[in-house]
Amino acid sequence: MPEGDTVWQAARRLNDALAGKVLTRSDLRVPKYATADLTGRTVLDVTPRGKHLLTRVEGGLTLHSHLRMDGSWRVYENGRRWSGGPSHQIRAILGNADRTAVGYRLPVLELLRTGDEHRAVGHLGPDLLGPDWDPDQALANLLTAPARPLGEALLDQRNLAGIGNVYKSELCFLLGVTPWLPLRDLPADRITKLPALAKRLLEANRDRPVRSTTGRRGQDMFVYGRAPRPCLRCHTPILVADQGDGSRERPTYWCPTCQPGPAPTPGSARTRRKSTPYN
């Protein structure tokens, strides 16, 4: 699932393929920008911002995209067959003399003036993988709502940018509390180390083809996606339940033994995940 580390990887692939080269093909397949033509312009850079991608093009334009749950950008050598999905799922094509970048199932795609990028990403908190990372500011943002459950606060990109549902569940496990624990009840020594721990997890995975928070081959996650298998530490079955983030419910995994604290009522927790939207 696209989170800050996978978006960082996507930006690197796109930047390697497009930056410094003149576009010979441009096709934005969304109604508002169907007539926009970027051919003849040089791509300046592709920059990640949290879970957003900013493709900057000469002439002061930025193509802003967000992958959410199912979106992806694929890069192909010219002449190779595209394999990211059926053609009706393609939302953007950017090509040069050597390679072509194809955006599949992009739920957010908009063309902005580069000077207006703040309209798309100005609400974001410090980026865990960005040059603007500020752990003190991230912690201050989190603590503005001390009664808020930890899991919800971690998903709120206004606090710190780059954490999705996977890292939310894994961070709560590593902190030894449930995602429903109010921030004010998180022990002081753990709340102060939270920003650094989150950054360490994303940095460790931004260059990995397979995400891992455990360091164990074949056992990549402590809790995420593991219900009803046993906890890697205590062997208690992992549970899963929905938790809101202010906009939608998301599956949340935890170990009821290793992670003390508030939890859903027994009837709402389950051992198997149902299909739930993800952003």
Side-chain angles (χ1 to χ4, degrees), residues 2-23:
E3 303 199 18
D5 53 348
T6 47
V7 172
W8 190 92
Q9 292 172 9
R12 183 173 60 180
R13 289 193 300 271
L14 290 170
N15 194 72
D16 289 346
L18 302 176
K21 299 179 181 178
V22 176
L23 291 173

Side-chain angles (χ1 to χ4, degrees), residues 73-95:
W73 278 97
R74 304 288 187 93
V75 175
Y76 303 96
E77 298 289 337
N78 288 348
R80 283 192 57 193
R81 182 174 179 271
W82 300 350
S83 57
S87 60
H88 71 266
Q89 293 182 348
I90 295 174
R91 296 292 176 266
I93 302 171
L94 298 175

Side-chain angles (χ1 to χ4, degrees), residues 155-191:
L155 285 179
D156 191 334
Q157 303 299 295
R158 297 171 297 181
N159 290 329
L160 64 172
I163 293 176
N165 217 33
V166 176
Y167 284 117
K168 175 197 77 171
S169 294
E170 294 295 291
L171 279 166
C172 289
F173 177 83
L174 291 170
L175 291 168
V177 297
T178 75
W180 292 270
L181 184 80
L183 276 163
R184 65 188 173 207
D185 295 335
L186 187 63
D189 62 322
R190 280 178 261 184
I191 188 67

Side-chain angles (χ1 to χ4, degrees), residues 2 17 24 27 48 62 64 76 92 109-110 126 147 165 182 186 206 221 244 259 262 270 278:
T24 58
D27 186 359
T62 296
H64 165 233
Y76 303 96
L109 187 71
E110 59 177 339
N165 217 33
L186 187 63
R206 68 182 182 184
M221 298 289 145
Q259 295 173 256
R270 51 187 201 276
Y278 173 84

Side-chain angles (χ1 to χ4, degrees), residues 204-277:
N205 283 288
R206 68 182 182 184
D207 294 316
R208 289 176 177 165
V210 177
R211 180 186 291 141
S212 174
T213 59
T214 65
R216 304 182 187 184
R217 186 184 297 272
Q219 295 177 326
D220 298 315
M221 298 289 145
F222 284 108
V223 291
Y224 186 84
R226 298 194 67 251
R229 285 174 285 173
C231 173
L232 297 179
R233 286 183 177 170
C234 72
H235 307 296
T236 302
I238 299 298
L239 296 179
V240 58
D242 290 331
Q243 182 184 41
D245 67 342
S247 63
R248 64 184 64 183
E249 296 293 309
R250 306 186 187 208
T252 299
Y253 297 84
W254 82 105
C255 171
T257 299
C258 294
Q259 295 173 256
T265 59
S268 64
R270 51 187 201 276
T271 57
R272 293 185 183 275
R273 174 182 171 180
K274 68 181 180 180
S275 177
T276 306

Side-chain angles (χ1 to χ4, degrees), residues 105-121:
R105 300 171 298 279
L106 300 175
V108 175
L109 187 71
E110 59 177 339
L111 193 61
L112 307 168
R113 301 297 305 179
T114 300
D116 292 333
E117 286 179 359
H118 64 277
R119 289 171 37 203
V121 297

